[in-house]
């Protein structure tokens, strides 16, 4: 029985950063995954709420919006997928805000390696699956 590929949504408005993430994921030779890239904040919210992905990699700065604002709006629309916030700057205050807002992790792009990204995705997805199983067992 084969395991379905991990479905990753990347919300990023900078093509260079998209390439950085895409290439990091391509280095994971044994990983079965699909990557969908969205640049537009409105489309990102729709995709996050669609339940079509296992995890979202969300850029912090998206034009007039922040990743935290998008994540919160997607949650209001029913999104349950884990969100890993990506940023260009190391900022402990932003890290704290991301955690309080419900982000699964917070990664600085300049410090991101394929191994770190893969581990963050794996842990975030497993944690979300465990929480969903717990939620279902409590409602039955």
């Amino acid at each position: 029985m084969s395991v379905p590929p991990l479905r990753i949504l990347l919300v990023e408005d900078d093509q260079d950063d998209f390439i950085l993430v895409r290439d990091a994921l391509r280095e994971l030779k044994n990983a079965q995954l699909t990557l969908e890239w969205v640049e537009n904040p409105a489309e990102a919210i729709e995709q996050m709420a669609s339940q079509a992905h296992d995890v979202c990699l969300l850029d912090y700065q998206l034009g007039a919006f922040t990743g935290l604002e998008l994540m919160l709006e997607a949650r209001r629309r029913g999104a349950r997928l884990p969100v890993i916030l990506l940023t260009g700057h190391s900022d402990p205050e932003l890290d704290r805000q991301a955690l309080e807002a419900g982000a699964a992790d917070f990664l600085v792009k300049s410090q991101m390696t394929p191994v770190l990204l893969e581990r963050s995705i794996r842990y975030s997805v497993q944690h979300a699956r465990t929480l969903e199983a717990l939620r279902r067992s409590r409602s039955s």
Side-chain angles (χ1 to χ4, degrees):
M1 182 175 191
S2 66
V3 176
L6 192 64
R7 301 161 302 170
I8 301 170
L9 175 65
L10 173 61
V11 180
E12 174 62 69
D13 61 354
D14 183 311
Q15 185 174 10
D16 290 338
D17 287 340
F18 158 70
I19 291 168
L20 174 82
V21 172
R22 181 200 64 196
D23 290 352
L25 292 171
R26 283 182 176 171
E27 285 190 39
L28 305 174
K29 302 294 185 211
N30 294 326
Q32 296 293 326
L33 52 88
T34 61
L35 178 64
E36 181 177 353
W37 176 34
V38 174
E39 299 175 84
N40 177 289
E43 184 180 351
I45 291 169
E46 286 180 29
Q47 288 296 320
M48 292 170 72
S50 74
Q51 310 303 331
H53 302 91
D54 297 301
V55 64
C56 178
L57 305 175
L58 179 60
D59 186 28
Y60 176 71
Q61 196 58 50
L62 294 159
F65 299 95
T66 69
L68 291 178
E69 292 168 334
L70 263 64
M71 181 179 67
L72 293 173
E73 180 58 29
R75 295 267 193 259
R76 281 192 282 278
R77 295 187 189 190
R80 286 196 178 128
L81 78 167
V83 174
I84 299 169
L85 198 64
L86 306 176
T87 183
H89 307 286
S90 180
D91 181 347
E93 179 58 21
L94 179 56
D95 189 351
R96 184 192 60 74
Q97 290 173 6
L99 181 63
E100 288 178 0
D105 206 348
F106 177 87
L107 298 177
V108 178
K109 293 174 190 176
S110 64
Q111 299 171 357
M112 189 173 60
T113 65
V115 171
L116 178 63
L117 180 59
E118 186 272 336
R119 183 175 50 227
S120 179
I121 290 170
R122 186 167 33 91
Y123 277 54
S124 297
V125 168
Q126 183 57 48
H127 182 71
R129 288 176 178 166
T130 300
L131 289 176
E132 181 64 18
L134 180 60
R135 185 187 69 76
R136 286 182 182 177
S137 72
R138 286 184 175 174
S139 66
S140 55

